[in-house]
Amino acid sequence: MDWFKRGVQEMMVARPDGTKSQIVWKHPDKTIPMKSQLTVEADEKAVFFRDGKVVETLGPGRHTLDSSNFPFLSNLIDSVTGGNVFITEVFFVNTREHAGIKFGGRIGHVEDPKSGIPVETMVHGEFSFRVVDPEKLIVGLVGMGRAESSTINAWMKEQVLKVLRDNIAELIVKQSWPLLDVTSGAYTEEIEETVIGRMDKHVEDYGIDIVRFGNFVIGIDEEDASNLKELYRDAAYLRTVGGVDGYQKFAAGKAMMGAGEGMAKGGGDGGAGAGGLLGGAGLGVGLGMAQMMVRDNRGGETLAPAAAGVVCGECNSNVAPGKFCSACGKELKKAVAQGTFCTGCGEPVAPDAKFCGSCGTKQGG
């Protein structure tokens, strides 16, 4: 009975159930009896080898191994056995899509186009692949021995990571994608399409096709992400107020208004107890300070508050008191007739003053 069972088993050539998860499985016996039944499942192909060369590949179905059915078997017959045995190596190769292959690793330092800062970037996720040419896979990658799927998967992971590393960095730079947008998943579809299209040249020689990414995530260090968010926020403020110069003026104005509000409150609880008179006076001072943001007649702007000064008779600029105009360099005493300086002591006086407040000299001749 044991002899009979062994004979039946030899006549049935198929992949055992326990090995169907393997991408490549090699039939253990090189001698196959004539008229054996070869069963090839719907998701696999059987590849016949002799003397290290591919002889034939059979697709799904149940095949009776007879030279009258398959002429290529004539080259495999063992003459010593009187033509009753084939000498061949049979590999079963799974051709279904293999999904859920996990990968991950660092991309390296990528310059964020929005801020110009290099950021350490990583990627991890899953992909799927299938074998489209079993013969190329065996000859080019697996070899004639028994191959474990883990070996093929490990090699595929390295190829995917290599192409992702090259193309993600390239896309971010060429497309000027802000890194925070990339890490949020805004460009996942574009990256997947590009990477899958460029994978072919790396794996087609081995009869493999990368089908799709199940999911992948591009990430950066938490501290780097926090720094980028702060930089983006500052840049948004600058755009709102019209650039660095505008931002400085905006900040100065806020400081002046804050000073006025603080004075209106009396520096704390004391302001509330001082009544509306002090509050109104303080607020008035704050508003007055804000109004002292002046534009001079030369077209420039200044953040300095308009200090008490005089008007130059030559360029009409509001400048500090002195003998010469700080704006145009002309002698300020040309404006004496308008009451700008005392005709006696030279101290500044109001334009409509009749007498000098310093020496009492009558003004205006």
Side-chain angles (χ1 to χ4, degrees):
M1 183 60 68
D2 291 340
W3 171 84
F4 178 76
K5 287 181 178 179
R6 285 196 302 272
V8 172
Q9 290 173 352
E10 290 176 355
M11 296 295 290
M12 305 300 293
V13 180
R15 183 199 290 252
D17 289 342
T19 65
K20 289 186 176 179
S21 61
Q22 295 290 326
I23 299 172
V24 179
W25 180 77
K26 183 180 179 180
H27 185 65
D29 195 349
K30 292 184 179 181
T31 58
I32 300 176
M34 178 76 74
K35 298 186 183 299
S36 294
Q37 299 296 306
L38 172 70
T39 302
V40 183
E41 299 291 349
D43 62 347
E44 65 183 4
K45 289 185 179 181
V47 184
F48 289 77
F49 281 83
R50 179 70 181 266
D51 298 329
K53 297 180 180 179
V54 177
V55 178
E56 188 63 56
T57 299
L58 296 181
R62 190 165 187 172
H63 310 284
T64 300
L65 298 181
D66 190 331
S67 58
S68 61
N69 296 333
F70 301 103
F72 76 88
L73 292 174
S74 299
N75 299 322
L76 306 179
I77 292 176
D78 181 18
S79 58
V80 177
T81 62
N84 293 321
V85 174
F86 301 110
I87 303 297
T88 183
E89 293 176 289
V90 181
F91 289 82
F92 291 85
V93 180
N94 200 315
T95 57
R96 67 177 173 83
E97 182 176 344
H98 298 268
I101 311 300
K102 298 183 183 296
F103 72 96
R106 68 184 294 270
I107 297 174
H109 282 87
V110 178
E111 183 177 305
D112 174 42
K114 193 169 183 178
S115 64
I117 295 177
V119 178
E120 178 70 18
T121 312
M122 298 152 285
V123 63
H124 63 88
E126 300 178 354
F127 69 94
S128 67
F129 73 92
R130 64 168 174 259
V131 179
V132 294
D133 192 328
E135 298 175 12
K136 284 185 176 181
L137 177 64
I138 297 171
V139 175
L141 183 62
V142 174
M144 301 303 293
R146 295 188 181 183
E148 296 293 332
S149 293
S150 58
T151 303
I152 301 174
N153 289 348
W155 181 82
M156 292 297 298
K157 292 177 185 179
E158 292 301 319
Q159 296 304 306
V160 168
L161 186 58
K162 177 179 71 175
V163 177
L164 269 171
R165 183 184 294 117
D166 293 342
N167 286 274
I168 288 176
E170 180 183 344
L171 285 169
I172 289 174
V173 173
K174 286 187 175 181
Q175 302 295 332
S176 296
W177 290 340
L179 267 175
L180 289 186
D181 291 347
V182 173
T183 57
S184 71
Y187 299 104
T188 299
E189 187 173 343
E190 290 89 339
I191 294 173
E192 178 180 3
E193 182 179 351
T194 300
V195 171
I196 287 180
R198 296 181 180 180
M199 279 296 304
D200 290 343
K201 68 179 181 180
H202 296 276
V203 298
E204 63 183 357
D205 289 342
Y206 305 102
I208 294 174
D209 178 45
I210 302 296
V211 181
R212 61 179 58 86
F213 287 100
N215 183 34
F216 69 93
V217 177
I218 300 171
I220 59 179
D221 181 75
E222 290 185 6
E223 184 177 352
D224 287 340
S226 177
N227 292 336
L228 283 180
K229 288 177 182 178
E230 186 174 349
L231 286 171
Y232 285 10
R233 183 171 59 249
D234 292 345
Y237 287 158
L238 291 176
R239 287 195 302 271
T240 300
V241 298
V244 175
D245 187 54
Y247 181 74
Q248 290 174 337
K249 295 173 184 177
F250 171 73
K254 289 280 288 184
M256 292 178 183
M257 293 300 295
E261 291 176 3
M263 293 170 71
K265 295 177 181 178
D269 294 337
L277 180 60
L278 179 58
L283 182 58
V285 171
L287 291 173
M289 291 177 70
Q291 290 171 350
M292 288 194 298
M293 302 286 290
V294 297
R295 179 189 297 269
D296 65 32
N297 294 330
R298 294 164 293 160
E301 294 182 353
T302 176
L303 286 177
V310 295
V311 177
C312 175
E314 291 292 332
C315 65
N316 202 33
S317 296
N318 189 333
V319 296
K323 291 187 177 181
F324 297 94
C325 175
S326 60
C328 68
K330 300 294 183 180
E331 190 174 355
L332 289 175
K333 289 203 172 186
K334 289 184 178 180
V336 170
Q338 300 177 11
T340 304
F341 295 96
C342 174
T343 57
C345 65
E347 290 296 320
V349 294
D352 59 348
K354 295 182 178 180
F355 296 92
C356 174
S358 297
C359 67
T361 303
K362 184 177 181 181
Q363 303 298 304

